[in-house]
């Protein structure tokens, strides 16, 4: 995840959460700030390519004000 954050020049916004789903599967929830021109699909694809991760989705995206 740190390599992806460096690649996309992202900033961690909060601590991550590792939450159980079902059948031993876990969800890693991360919030970070990244330039919107990088695109959410590219970020999700980069995370999916990490060994041990089977899926990645961007579940929320908003613009910062200020």
């Amino acid at each position: 995840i740190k390599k992806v954050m460096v690649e996309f020049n992202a900033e961690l916004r909060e601590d991550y959460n590792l939450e159980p789903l079902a059948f031993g599967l876990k969800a890693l929830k991360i919030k970070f700030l990244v330039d919107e021109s990088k695109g959410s699909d590219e970020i999700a694809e980069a995370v999916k390519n990490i060994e041990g991760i089977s899926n990645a989705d961007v579940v929320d995206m908003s613009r910062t004000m200020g």
Side-chain angles (χ1 to χ4, degrees):
I1 297 296
K2 288 181 181 180
K3 287 181 182 180
V4 171
M5 291 181 67
V6 168
E7 179 183 342
F8 287 91
N9 195 28
E11 175 186 332
L12 189 64
R13 299 305 291 170
E14 294 179 14
D15 287 337
Y16 63 87
N17 293 321
L18 189 60
E19 299 178 3
L21 291 177
F23 308 108
L25 298 175
K26 296 177 183 170
L28 176 61
K29 295 186 177 185
I30 305 168
K31 293 182 182 181
F32 54 88
L33 179 65
V34 66
D35 186 326
E36 67 182 278
S37 68
K38 301 289 184 180
S40 62
D41 292 336
E42 289 84 359
I43 294 168
E45 192 62 36
V47 172
K48 275 189 222 180
N49 289 327
I50 296 172
E51 185 178 340
I53 295 180
S54 60
N55 195 13
D57 292 310
V58 174
V59 294
D60 188 19
M61 197 166 150
S62 63
R63 291 187 169 187
T64 60
M65 303 298 285

